[in-house]
Amino acid sequence: MTFTKHCKEKITSSFLPYSVSVAFAMTYAGAHGETGRQMAQVLHFLVERSLPPPRRFSG
């Protein structure tokens, strides 16, 4: 169901700004490289992070 259709059916729901912000922050935490830099720029995250690249476990 698209958001537009959802609104037209007048189903009561809300998205709290805090929950949207937390969802973006969690997504940013998993982003690395150019994607992480672009997200930080668009979302105005001011903290420069220095995380190592993600490990790839084989097993």
Side-chain angles (χ1 to χ4, degrees):
M1 172 183 297
T2 65
F3 184 72
T4 306
K5 185 176 179 181
H6 177 77
C7 291
K8 286 181 181 178
E9 292 179 2
K10 297 181 182 179
I11 296 174
T12 304
S13 66
S14 62
F15 298 98
L16 297 174
Y18 177 75
S19 63
V20 173
S21 177
V22 169
F24 278 130
M26 290 189 302
T27 304
Y28 170 69
H32 297 280
E34 184 62 21
T35 303
R37 283 188 288 279
Q38 289 174 354
M39 288 185 72
Q41 182 181 7
V42 170
L43 298 171
H44 303 283
F45 290 156
L46 302 175
V47 178
E48 186 72 30
R49 63 183 182 170
S50 59
L51 298 175
R55 290 184 177 178
R56 300 193 185 249
F57 295 101
S58 60

